[in-house]
Amino acid sequence: MIAEPSAGTYFDPRMETLDRERLVEHQLERLRAMLREVLASNRFYQRKLQPAGLTDARELSDWEAFRRLPLTTKAELVADQAAEPPFGTNLTYPLERYVKLHQTSGTSGGVPLRWLDTEESWDWWARLWGHVYRGAGVGPGDRIFFAFSFGPFIGFWAAWEGARKVGALTLPGGGQQSVQRLATIRELGATVLLCTPTYALRLAEVAAEQGIDTAASTIRTTIHAGEPGASIPATRARIEAAWGARCFDHCGMTEIGATGFTCQEQSGVHLIESEFIFEVLDPSTLEPVPTGEQGELVITNLGRLGSPLIRYRSGDLVRFTPERCDCGRTFGRLPGGILGRVDDMLIVRGVNIFPSAIEDVVRQFTEVAEYRIELSRVREMAEVTVQIEPTSADLAGALAERVAAALRTRIGLRMNVAAVPCGSLPRFEAKAKRVVRLN
Ligand SMILES: [Zn+2]
């Protein structure tokens, strides 16, 4: 059986090409090892798993037994932390063992979740980012600029730690305005830009105002976190054109870990199956969907023993393929990345659409600087208005008509498109909030 990469060293890229049969054995072995620890002392999972008949990890004989374990939801975690503040009961070890605190943004569920990591689980996070960087071809000699204010959001902190695993140099960009960041990138010869997709575009916009040509900069690679934009073809193309760079996606969640990355083939998001167990379930029946069909991604992490999640409902809709990628990795993939959130799917006049589909159309128009989707209910019918901010005021009317026509053709729906004054829509540095519900 494969040895664990030891803490403090580089991660083990051999896991990425393990044949799938051995990968599955490896998962089951890691799962049992985790359950031994968790069942002994984690009150949250003792309460969930013992009534389900699991009191000893040795009883988990096969995958059928695993699939009978109860699912975990975000609502349960929020309720647990509210009942036993400030950290809740999903803790396998005494509090003194934990060295890192992060929290979720709280944008979708309202209440932020707090999450603790031990030294071992923080090192695990760094190894996950080793996979992300390797996928993007980042290694020794690279200088990674973090255009990010280092708050309690975990994504960039983990990315920062992970750079050590591939031997790259980290350049902190916190506490700087966009103009200063552009100067730092130039002065320090940064080769990789790490930020949200939204901010990559914003930074390029500020650069253009300053007469700086970002496409000619030293940045050759961009890696994104916080939002799904880097898997939306039109957004990715726009970032690549603005920076003269190749753009890579990554996905993950504060409470679960960095779960996936794109490789040089850019043929979807690879899931890090050596560190997680992934299932795709029908969100209404909670039964597995046939391979390749759309369903909700359900995740079990295998290396965060201090604050684990078992069969966690991510709320993300995906399609999964186990087919080997041209890059040689055997890790399965999500073609198109995360398609949308279960909660974000809009039903407009009987048509199901995700905000990402609207983004893919709107971002193809280089004359649109920023956009926002407003949702309202008119006589019990959902209505969508897409606000677009043109790069120049004289484009407004004609541009709105062209965007509306493209949305009608591509999505098959008539949507109101309204041009708003230049500079009037909010710009975002961390997670963008572009879908607004009016009533
Ligand atoms: Zn690949």
Side-chain angles (χ1 to χ4, degrees), residues 263-267 270 325-329 333:
C263 68
Q264 300 286 337
E265 299 295 324
Q266 296 188 322
S267 55
H270 276 287
C325 178
D326 287 343
C327 72
R329 287 179 180 82
R333 278 169 295 149

Side-chain angles (χ1 to χ4, degrees), residues 128-129 131-137 193-198 221-233 235-236 239-240 246-252 258-272 318 334-339 356:
L128 299 176
W129 268 91
H131 291 284
V132 178
Y133 286 128
R134 200 177 125 81
L193 173 64
L194 231 139
C195 60
T196 61
T198 297
T221 302
T222 68
I223 303 178
H224 302 288
E227 300 166 349
S231 282
I232 299 172
T235 303
R236 187 171 73 212
I239 294 170
E240 291 187 333
R246 289 195 76 199
C247 166
F248 294 86
D249 200 7
H250 133 269
C251 59
T259 47
F261 62 91
T262 45
C263 68
Q264 300 286 337
E265 299 295 324
Q266 296 188 322
S267 55
V269 169
H270 276 287
L271 294 176
I272 305 174
V318 298
L334 306 178
I338 290 164
L339 304 171
S356 57

Side-chain angles (χ1 to χ4, degrees), residues 16 38 82 95 140 179 199 341 363 418:
E16 296 182 349
V38 168
L95 270 176
V179 172
Y199 191 65
R341 302 276 305 159
R363 287 291 195 206

Side-chain angles (χ1 to χ4, degrees), residues 37-275:
E37 296 279 294
V38 168
L39 284 167
S41 52
N42 183 304
R43 286 194 289 138
F44 181 81
Y45 274 110
Q46 282 173 339
R47 280 200 306 273
K48 279 181 72 72
L49 300 179
Q50 286 170 357
L54 189 70
T55 50
D56 186 324
R58 283 169 298 191
E59 291 161 16
L60 196 96
S61 49
D62 55 21
W63 288 108
E64 278 312 304
F66 171 71
R67 290 187 196 100
R68 283 194 297 271
L69 297 180
L71 296 164
T72 305
T73 65
K74 185 165 185 179
E76 285 175 87
L77 300 171
V78 169
D80 177 59
Q81 293 196 353
E84 298 210 29
F87 306 120
T89 63
N90 185 14
L91 299 170
T92 307
Y93 305 114
L95 270 176
E96 309 83 78
R97 284 277 295 274
Y98 295 81
V99 295
K100 298 282 177 191
L101 167 78
H102 297 93
Q103 65 183 47
T104 63
S105 54
T107 44
S108 52
V111 185
L113 266 181
R114 296 191 183 92
W115 218 261
L116 295 174
D117 277 291
T118 63
E119 178 57 31
E120 292 77 12
S121 64
W122 191 238
D123 191 65
W124 173 78
W125 258 103
R127 290 207 304 274
L128 299 176
W129 268 91
H131 291 284
V132 178
Y133 286 128
R134 200 177 125 81
V138 173
D142 272 309
R143 299 175 189 178
I144 312 173
F145 184 74
F146 290 76
F148 173 66
S149 297
F150 284 70
F153 172 54
I154 202 166
F156 296 93
W157 285 109
W160 177 263
E161 294 291 346
R164 289 188 292 124
K165 298 288 176 188
V166 295
L169 178 67
T170 45
L171 311 174
Q176 297 179 16
Q177 303 295 319
S178 296
V179 172
Q180 292 168 291
R181 283 174 173 160
L182 289 162
T184 309
I185 288 171
R186 190 177 61 244
E187 285 162 20
L188 300 182
T191 58
V192 181
L193 173 64
L194 231 139
C195 60
T196 61
T198 297
Y199 191 65
L201 292 172
R202 172 63 187 153
L203 207 51
E205 190 181 35
V206 173
E209 287 162 14
Q210 302 284 318
I212 299 167
D213 179 9
T214 44
S217 76
T218 47
I219 298 289
R220 63 172 183 83
T221 302
T222 68
I223 303 178
H224 302 288
E227 300 166 349
S231 282
I232 299 172
T235 303
R236 187 171 73 212
R238 201 159 164 163
I239 294 170
E240 291 187 333
W243 285 93
R246 289 195 76 199
C247 166
F248 294 86
D249 200 7
H250 133 269
C251 59
M253 300 170 96
T254 302
E255 64 272 39
I256 197 97
T259 47
F261 62 91
T262 45
C263 68
Q264 300 286 337
E265 299 295 324
Q266 296 188 322
S267 55
V269 169
H270 276 287
L271 294 176
I272 305 174
E273 293 186 276
S274 55
E275 302 292 348

Side-chain angles (χ1 to χ4, degrees), residues 1 40 47 121 131 146 169 176-177 207 256 278 294 347 378 381 391 426 436 438:
M1 197 36 63
R47 280 200 306 273
S121 64
H131 291 284
F146 290 76
L169 178 67
Q176 297 179 16
Q177 303 295 319
I256 197 97
F278 297 97
Q294 183 176 302
I347 304 173
V378 180
M381 297 280 280
T391 48
V436 182
L438 298 180

